[in-house]
Amino acid sequence: MNPHLLIAIPLAPLIAAVIAGLAGHRIGRAASHTITIAGVAIACGLSLYVLKQMYWDGVGTFNGPVYTWLVSDGVRIQVGFLIDRLSVLMMSVVTFVSLCVHVYTIGYMSDDPGYTRFFSYISLFTFAMLMLVMSNNFMQLFFGWEAVGMVSYLLIGFWYTRPSAIFANFKAFIVNRVGDFGFIIGIAALFSYTHSLSYTTAFAAAPHLAQQTLPVFGGVNALTLICVALFIGAMGKSAQVPLHVWLPDSMEGPTPISALIHAATMVTAGIFMVARMSPLFEHSSAALSFVLVIGATTAFFMGILGVVNNDIKRVIAYSTLSQLGYMTAALGASAYSAAIFHLMTHAFFKALLFLAAGSVIIGMHHEQDMRKMGGLAKYMPITAITCWVGGLALVATPFFSGFYSKDAIIEAVGMSHRWGSTYAYWCVLLGAYITSLYTFRLLFMTFHGEERFRKVHAGEGHEHGHDGHGEHGGHGVHEPHESPWVVTVPLIALAIPALLIGYFTVGKILYGNYFGSAIEVLPAHNVLGRMAADYHGPLQLALHAFLTAPFWLAVAGLFTAWLFVLKRPDLADAAAVKFAWLKRILDQKFYFDWFNEQVIARVSRGIGIGLWKAGDQGLIDGAVVNGTAASVGWLGGVVRRVQSGYLYSYAFWIVIGLAALLGWFLVHA
Amino acid sequence: MHDHLLSLLIWLPIAAGIVVLLLGERNIVAGRWLSLVASLVALALCVPLVRDFNTHTAAFQFVEKAAWIPRFHAYYALGVDGISMPLVVLTALMTIPVLIAGWQVITKRPAQYYAAFLIMEGLMIGVFSATDALLFYFFWEAMLIPMFLIIGIWGGPRRVYATIKFFLYTFLGSVFMLAALIYMYVKAGSYSIAAFQALPLTLTEQRWIFAAFLLAFAVKVPMWPVHTWLPDAHVEAPTGGSVILAAIMLKMGGYGFLRFSLPIVPDACRELDTLVITLSLIAVIYIGFVALVQQDMKKLIAYSSIAHMGFVTLGAFLVYAIVRSTGATQGAAMGMDGAMVQMISHGLISGALFLCVGVLYDRMHTRQIADYGGVINTMPVFAGFMVLFALANTGLPGTSGFVGEFLVILASFKASFWYSALAAVTLILGAGYTLWLVKRVVFGPVANDHVAKLSDVNGREFLILGVLALAVLALGVWPEPLLKIMEPSIQHLVSQAAATKIPV
């Protein structure tokens, strides 16, 4: 493979981002979006070309350096690429979704004063994400890891005058840093054994590391510690419980980045990382059990929160948390291919759902509350249809892309015999019901039923009338409208793979050994291998699904949503009253935020103030420093007339002392 | 010219400073330009220093030697190795933004202000390039005088308290170092640092000398618990004073540990390394928490400096724990590399952050975080710089702030899991205090009328912040040139530190 071509892939968006960022106000809006779209288009085209080369032309894995970052203590740390079937798939997904989002942004951000800045950020993000997935070493992985986090920080806080936005981006950065704390310890632990940061060395050392014991916490397996520490990093980036708290708040950012960063790409970095590290994780069953339990917990419990939320973007955000939990659970069951496969299908249908939600938000004149929507299918047919495609894919409707990936995960977890797999299986299985419930609730509340926006706006108009602004009353309802083509074309472009890609790729990616040596699974853990024995093509698989539990659970979810949203909305209110205690727990999101803000943040500030006031000011300055000065002053008072000035006196005595010392040495030298 | 390059670097700024002083306040325009030209020439002199530096030897280069005080066998001896040369360049570089930053801002006795900084530049370069201990001590103490004046004359309302505290702390620490130097002079018959490094010393002697050095260097770094002078000094110092204090003066402490403590008293260091490492980790965590709750921007950055300098002392003293834990020195050089990179990087980043605070202070005349909010609305370009330097301060990869911390964390795991884990807490705390500052000052809606009236950076401010931003990014993206310069000297230092000097 041509290394120059590979370098061009991340470099094109980087250059575009720099130009749009530094000269955006000079070259103008059109030039800025043209140049960034061109940059990402180049990256996307080249990525697809490399994918073609690797898949159809049989070109082998590329693993080579780009430049030497530094040499320290004989350890050469290089920036370099590892391009195999895993990374090239990620590159293609990332750049394709990014391209769609770039085009969509033209419409979505058209009247935003930060237009060029936004394009610069999302191109910069694409660069960082590519560096992450293309890396062949832990330093560059960490670079990409932190760089995507930085751009996410900038983009969540894009509307920087909103207090909620700058709270959310600060929170996102800090929570991610908690994960990175684990991540860097994992890297350091690995380095201390292998003296290298390259993947190849680390993978080769895995069986050896599994035999080592680290003398901490009464002796732990070195590889388990490494894998758990690395996974803590993934928990931050891929928003797994309890480090998930930042993702719902990240919806403060503009919708295109919710689709690109907080659904399709960045949040899947943790999933990608664990799959990339499969040669390490495979040798530590304890770590994989940890991964499995965390993932399954996230999949089920975060999905529940999606059921009670009324903000269209936040519902999708909780859905993302839940789906990331599915991917994580798949990793924990050693079904890495299934995790990556779901990552890919999810990237398409979840980006689609977010962009569709964005289209609804534009159509509703920046309204995000689903209680004020309803019946929009009539006004926004393209948005409604594409959103339905995304929703059906999300609930794993047979033949849709999400079906092939999610059913495989449920089955794989069910077949796993790892510690925690029974619990995990129930979580991911019942999660199918929850997924269906919140998805159809969203679709019904938004696109069908009563046109509640009329009621709300009419009421407001009435109030305006009372306030003497009669002229506003005449406006009545802001009619929802379909979005312009720059918005709908990306929706369609994403709806196609959301619908079809599963059908056409499931055989290769899940059961056809697409990943080859890029993902390592020990024979004893190979649940997908056992599933492959029963695989007879995508059609068969989809037809068989009508006889399985996940399908009927999804139907039950559909029915529940229909009943509570469309048929008998009063039942939902009654349930909310009857189960008030449950509703409070869910409204408080299981009290994670409360704990972080009231306990952790408060205690940290308390420690800071305590150390500052009592330690620095009280003890060190008060008792020792100024105390010494005071006692010396007292002494000075006793030995009067020797001096009067503070500094002068000290300096004087010091000089006298020095002179005496020097004199002594001179005499004796 | 190469024979006297270091002398030129020392005396040219000092001579220029004296000329500016003589020109007086009435010729301040000429004085300003002369200062700028002199500092630029000094930086230009660093070009041959870097270009012709031999990166394959640990020996001192660009050496000069002349008799100075024959009675004491003290020589005017200069030279740089891979440890001191980068610090010389940093000094020459960081003086320039300080001079430019004061251009229209300093109206009170500007000629003296400029002269003080130029003279200080020469003296600081002297500290890093002296190879004779008495000469080193001369520069070390002499440079306190201009800094003392800078805080005392151009400082804030509590400048008298701050200067006295600053002076006493640093001067008292140094006196013990002088006693140690004289003791070794008596034993070795020379003030040459190389002779000190070769001098066999019993463990008892080493312990006393170690304690003397520790006092002197720990105050300068500063290490907990002798750090409380720094926040006060920073708060009262004018912007330029803060920049030099943070960017260069603190590095003298770190340099002292590398040049004196480790190679001269290695056995005492081996015995007492846990003390230094404990104090370093306290600096990272304790000070990190204290930084979190600061209400004064300069105090916050001052505390942040202490926490970041904790990585310098941690990285420098890892060698013994690594040997104890693994039986070999592999990894020790990485810790010292990390310490060195951290010093250079911190010089750039903390300097830039203090300049940023200066930009705000010049407009608003307050350093209280509560007086700000939403600066980005009226100063978008400035906000871009401030966010960049803040992210660099949190150790973001791609910026210089990452390199040193990364190397030290990697190396410290070899020594102990707990060293590594506690050091890595800086990822969370550093992000916490730095980005909370950014959140409150830079982001948000316009907080008040004063913020609404702010004007964005002018060309002068853009220039200095832009150059520093480029340096921070360049060092983060490609640190290898710096590492290459240091490598032989660091390897040599590791072998010195790991050896024993107890006479048998």
Side-chain angles (χ1 to χ4, degrees), chain B residues 41-201:
Chain B
V41 170
L43 186 64
L45 288 173
C46 290
V47 173
L49 188 71
V50 175
R51 190 191 55 208
D52 300 333
F53 186 85
N54 182 349
T55 57
H56 300 288
T57 170
F60 280 95
Q61 305 179 35
F62 302 97
V63 289
E64 297 175 38
K65 191 169 180 183
W68 179 33
I69 315 175
R71 178 72 186 79
F72 300 142
H73 307 96
Y75 287 88
Y76 174 81
L78 303 174
V80 286
D81 66 354
I83 294 170
S84 47
M85 190 273 266
L87 292 165
V88 169
V89 177
L90 180 72
T91 309
L93 176 70
M94 290 307 292
T95 302
I96 297 168
V98 166
L99 297 180
I100 299 176
W103 207 254
Q104 292 143 5
V105 178
I106 300 297
T107 48
K108 178 181 175 185
R109 303 196 224 165
Q112 293 178 18
Y113 182 84
Y114 277 85
F117 278 103
L118 285 172
I119 292 169
M120 195 155 57
E121 177 185 2
L123 296 173
M124 289 187 300
I125 292 177
V127 169
F128 294 127
S129 48
T131 54
D132 180 281
L134 200 62
L135 186 66
F136 168 84
Y137 187 79
F138 165 77
F139 285 126
W140 174 277
E141 294 292 31
M143 72 131 312
L144 285 180
I145 298 165
M147 184 51 96
F148 181 74
L149 294 174
I150 285 165
I151 303 176
I153 297 174
W154 292 277
R158 291 182 73 227
R159 58 181 183 264
V160 176
Y161 173 75
T163 41
I164 290 172
K165 203 168 170 184
F166 162 71
F167 191 82
L168 285 184
Y169 255 115
T170 51
F171 196 61
L172 280 175
S174 314
V175 166
F176 291 98
M177 175 173 73
L178 179 63
L181 295 179
I182 293 171
Y183 180 84
M184 284 188 287
Y185 161 68
V186 172
K187 286 202 78 168
S190 154
Y191 271 109
S192 150
I193 295 175
F196 289 177
Q197 292 179 350
L199 181 69
L201 292 163

Side-chain angles (χ1 to χ4, degrees), chain A residues 338-479:
Chain A
I340 297 295
F341 186 42
H342 194 52
L343 185 163
M344 177 182 80
T345 60
H346 177 261
F348 294 122
F349 66 69
K350 189 51 69 65
L352 169 61
L353 281 172
F354 264 120
L355 295 187
S359 174
V360 168
I361 293 167
I362 310 173
M364 290 295 297
H365 308 278
H366 297 281
E367 178 60 66
Q368 298 186 199
D369 192 333
M370 296 192 297
R371 285 170 299 189
K372 298 175 184 169
M373 298 176 185
L376 292 182
K378 196 165 83 186
Y379 305 94
M380 319 179 68
I382 302 176
T383 303
I385 291 169
T386 51
C387 193
W388 263 91
V389 171
L392 290 172
L394 172 59
V395 300
T397 311
F399 298 106
F400 283 72
S401 63
F403 158 74
Y404 292 101
S405 53
K406 202 156 101 185
D407 259 27
I409 290 176
I410 297 172
E411 202 181 338
V413 172
M415 289 177 77
S416 172
H417 297 299
R418 190 153 282 141
W419 186 90
S421 58
T422 313
Y423 163 79
Y425 179 64
W426 283 105
C427 282
V428 294
L429 183 65
L430 295 177
Y433 171 75
I434 302 291
T435 309
S436 165
L437 180 56
Y438 66 67
T439 307
F440 287 112
R441 176 174 171 268
L442 180 145
L443 292 171
F444 291 150
M445 280 183 86
T446 309
F447 294 112
H448 306 281
E450 192 188 353
E451 297 180 355
R452 288 181 300 277
F453 54 87
R454 292 196 188 280
K455 226 169 32 185
V456 175
H457 283 282
E460 276 174 11
H462 188 65
E463 278 166 27
H464 281 305
H466 263 288
D467 294 343
H469 295 277
E471 68 276 18
H472 285 293
H475 275 286
V477 181
H478 290 290
E479 286 285 322

Side-chain angles (χ1 to χ4, degrees), chain B residues 393-480:
Chain B
N393 200 45
T394 68
L396 189 82
T399 67
S400 62
F402 169 67
V403 187
E405 289 181 12
F406 186 61
L407 292 177
V408 171
I409 291 173
L410 285 188
S412 60
F413 199 98
K414 273 193 195 302
S416 150
F417 168 81
W418 289 109
Y419 291 173
S420 182
L422 291 171
V425 172
T426 196
L427 256 69
I428 304 167
L429 286 175
Y433 57 71
T434 314
L435 294 184
W436 196 24
L437 171 77
V438 169
K439 174 178 181 285
R440 289 176 292 171
V441 171
V442 177
F443 294 141
V446 173
N448 52 49
D449 292 348
H450 301 292
V451 174
K453 287 190 206 117
L454 284 176
S455 54
D456 210 338
V457 285
N458 55 35
R460 177 173 58 82
E461 292 160 337
F462 184 88
L463 178 74
I464 53 181
L465 294 177
V467 169
L468 289 177
L470 285 179
V472 165
L473 289 173
L475 192 53
V477 172
W478 196 36
E480 174 55 13

Side-chain angles (χ1 to χ4, degrees), chain B residues 274-454:
Chain B
T274 318
L275 170 73
V276 179
I277 287 177
T278 307
L279 295 180
S280 309
L281 291 171
I282 289 176
V284 173
I285 294 170
Y286 172 116
I287 299 296
F289 275 110
V290 173
L292 207 52
V293 293
Q294 294 308 309
Q295 288 131 25
D296 180 305
M297 288 194 276
K298 270 190 156 180
K299 263 199 170 153
L300 195 153
I301 301 168
Y303 276 109
S304 155
S305 289
I306 302 168
H308 281 87
M309 290 302 286
F311 272 86
V312 175
T313 43
L314 172 64
F317 277 81
L318 281 174
V319 51
Y320 303 105
I322 288 177
V323 170
R324 276 198 296 273
S325 148
T326 66
T329 55
Q330 193 180 18
M334 185 174 275
M336 289 180 192
D337 278 344
M340 275 299 297
V341 178
Q342 178 78 343
M343 286 209 271
I344 304 293
S345 161
H346 177 261
L348 300 170
I349 296 169
S350 68
L353 281 173
F354 278 118
L355 286 167
C356 283
V357 174
V359 167
L360 289 177
Y361 185 82
D362 292 343
R363 288 163 173 73
M364 302 261 293
H365 300 286
T366 168
R367 296 179 312 264
Q368 292 302 308
I369 295 171
D371 293 337
Y372 290 88
V375 166
I376 187 172
N377 296 289
T378 40
M379 304 177 74
V381 177
F382 169 79
F385 281 120
M386 178 99 179
V387 171
L388 172 71
F389 293 126
L391 287 168
N393 200 45
T394 68
L396 189 82
T399 67
S400 62
F402 169 67
V403 187
E405 289 181 12
F406 186 61
L407 292 177
V408 171
I409 291 173
L410 285 188
S412 60
F413 199 98
K414 273 193 195 302
S416 150
F417 168 81
W418 289 109
Y419 291 173
S420 182
L422 291 171
V425 172
T426 196
L427 256 69
I428 304 167
L429 286 175
Y433 57 71
T434 314
L435 294 184
W436 196 24
L437 171 77
V438 169
K439 174 178 181 285
R440 289 176 292 171
V441 171
V442 177
F443 294 141
V446 173
N448 52 49
D449 292 348
H450 301 292
V451 174
K453 287 190 206 117
L454 284 176

Side-chain angles (χ1 to χ4, degrees), chain A residues 228 266 586:
Chain A
V228 168
M266 183 189 84
L586 296 182

